Amino acid sequence: MRTVWPVYGRRAVAVIDQRMLPHRFETIELASAGRAADAIASMVVRGAPLIGVTAAFGLAMQADADAGDQALATAAGQLKSARPTAVNLAWAVDRALDHLMAIPAARRADAAWSFAIALADDDVATNEAIGRHGEGLLHAAAHQKSGGWLNVLTHCNAGWLATVDWGTALAPVYKAHAAGLKVHVWVDETRPRNQGAGLTTWELREAGVPHTVIADNAGGHLMQHGEVDLVIVGCDRVTAQGDVCNKIGTYLKALAANDNDVPFYVAMPWSTLDRRLVDGVREVPIETRSAREVTHLTGRDSNGKMVEVQLVPDGTQAANPAFDVTPARLVTALITERGIVPATADALAAMGPH
Ligand code: MRU
């Protein structure tokens, strides 16, 4: 299934409520731009490509309600400000808005739905292509290893739940697994929201891919002991010089990979490249999320009930930067829908426009 889909006849979309996974599988209907923006901000839907596509559907729902210039521009602003770091969000909304502003208001609603549906389909095709290119890397790594399991480490969730389908970082794993490669995934739990522990494990289990969840701090140790053949992560924004912004903790994995000669790959749909920025550490806006995500944990108790527990003494301050930037020099290569691209300014420039 897909992570977002139109509910025909009601001019709404349905999404999987990712806050409930892996404990409950629930879907939610979103029937306005405001609901779409709320779903993005509260992480009902998350993952860079998926929030972009959900926002494009949000704009379509706005066009149903009022397709005037002012109403569309206001809704676009609201959708874009739901989360600041993943550039796919603004990329999708700006493209949809430009497309709609160029046509008469009376025709905008249907055009907006067609646009969002095409964007969703493009995302699936993009990720399938990333999977194809990345699969080649996995087969090559397995060949070099000559036998045994290929161990891939990933951080956060960049699987199908983070996109419309396939995922980015996990697409090569799904393809290699389907082709019969013996591939095992080390899954970083990804504190504080635990997208690895809750979402990546759920996806891999559903797909029958062998995997092991690890504490975020375990990756370096495993690399030192030859237990990681390569790392593949997703990304939320990549700059013109190839700096990679992704979930907090990615940078530490890249440092450990570099120190241990473990290849560090980043799966990047072209929509995640932000050529306006150069120095990622200085320029990428990093989302700060609620301190409660650090001070508390949510999970399932022995009665199957979802509960939240407190980890720290009352009144403890917590900081929660949600993303970090990995400098290009630590990235072995970018796995894109157009092929494997070095994370350098020259290579990215040579690939041409979006
Ligand atoms: O905060 P999230 O869960 O939206 O963060 C997701 C990530 O960091 C992913 O790695 C990234 O969006 C790529 S998803 C294909």
Side-chain angles (χ1 to χ4, degrees):
M1 71 181 298
R2 290 185 172 189
T3 50
V4 58
W5 61 96
V7 185
Y8 288 103
R10 284 215 286 287
R11 302 195 73 100
V13 290
V15 296
I16 300 167
D17 186 348
Q18 301 197 19
R19 299 167 308 177
M20 297 299 158
L21 290 173
H23 306 302
R24 282 193 228 144
F25 184 88
E26 289 176 9
T27 60
I28 295 187
E29 224 172 272
L30 309 173
S32 69
R35 287 291 306 280
D38 289 346
I40 293 166
S42 64
M43 296 184 69
V44 168
V45 288
R46 29 68 53 201
L50 177 57
I51 62 177
V53 172
T54 305
F57 279 116
L59 208 58
M61 294 184 272
Q62 177 56 52
D64 278 336
D66 180 348
D69 290 7
Q70 188 56 48
L72 284 181
T74 304
Q78 186 190 9
L79 287 159
K80 285 203 292 185
S81 62
R83 291 191 75 189
T85 299
V87 73
N88 307 58
L89 180 57
W91 174 83
V93 172
D94 286 341
R95 284 186 60 192
L97 192 63
D98 286 352
H99 177 69
L100 298 179
M101 289 301 191
I103 54 182
R107 297 215 324 260
R108 286 179 181 165
D110 285 346
W113 279 96
S114 303
F115 187 91
I117 289 166
L119 199 71
D121 290 344
D122 282 353
D123 183 61
V124 178
T126 292
N127 300 331
E128 196 274 336
I130 287 174
R132 236 180 311 117
H133 295 301
E135 182 191 359
L137 291 176
L138 296 189
H139 285 292
H143 185 70
Q144 208 177 352
K145 196 177 180 184
S146 55
W149 286 85
L150 187 74
N151 290 303
V152 175
L153 183 141
T154 194
H155 191 69
C156 196
N157 172 262
W160 70 268
L161 288 170
T163 65
V164 178
D165 199 0
W166 280 106
T168 59
L170 291 188
V173 171
Y174 289 135
K175 291 226 173 238
H177 174 75
L181 193 80
K182 282 163 64 179
V183 56
H184 163 265
V185 182
W186 295 113
V187 180
D188 281 351
E189 58 177 347
T190 319
R191 281 280 291 148
R193 283 191 68 96
N194 295 305
Q195 290 96 324
L199 303 177
T200 300
T201 50
W202 183 82
E203 276 196 25
L204 293 172
R205 180 169 172 262
E206 295 285 304
V209 178
H211 60 280
T212 307
V213 69
I214 51 173
D216 288 326
N217 300 329
H221 166 79
L222 293 171
M223 291 181 203
Q224 285 175 324
H225 290 272
E227 300 281 351
V228 181
D229 295 304
L230 65 151
V231 179
I232 311 182
V233 296
C235 51
D236 291 83
R237 200 185 286 239
V238 176
T239 71
Q241 69 179 12
D243 293 342
V244 170
C245 180
N246 189 48
K247 181 52 56 191
I248 192 80
T250 302
Y251 170 50
L252 290 177
K253 293 302 137 74
L255 283 174
N258 187 259
D259 195 43
N260 291 283
D261 290 327
V262 172
F264 185 90
Y265 291 104
V266 176
M268 182 197 79
W270 218 249
S271 53
T272 309
L273 179 62
D274 186 352
R275 292 184 196 272
R276 298 164 305 175
L277 307 188
V278 178
D279 180 340
V281 174
R282 283 175 200 278
E283 296 176 65
V284 176
I286 300 294
E287 178 179 15
T288 299
R289 293 191 61 85
S290 156
R292 200 173 179 88
E293 291 183 348
V294 177
T295 58
H296 291 67
L297 268 183
T298 304
R300 188 180 61 187
D301 72 10
S302 51
N303 297 317
K305 215 173 120 218
M306 298 274 279
V307 289
E308 187 189 59
V309 294
Q310 183 175 323
L311 294 172
V312 299
D314 289 346
T316 302
Q317 274 197 43
N320 188 9
F323 297 91
D324 63 24
V325 173
T326 298
R329 67 187 154 79
L330 299 175
V331 177
T332 305
L334 304 164
I335 308 170
T336 81
E337 65 269 39
R338 302 180 186 184
I340 310 297
V341 180
T344 63
D346 287 351
L348 287 168
M351 296 299 288
H354 273 97

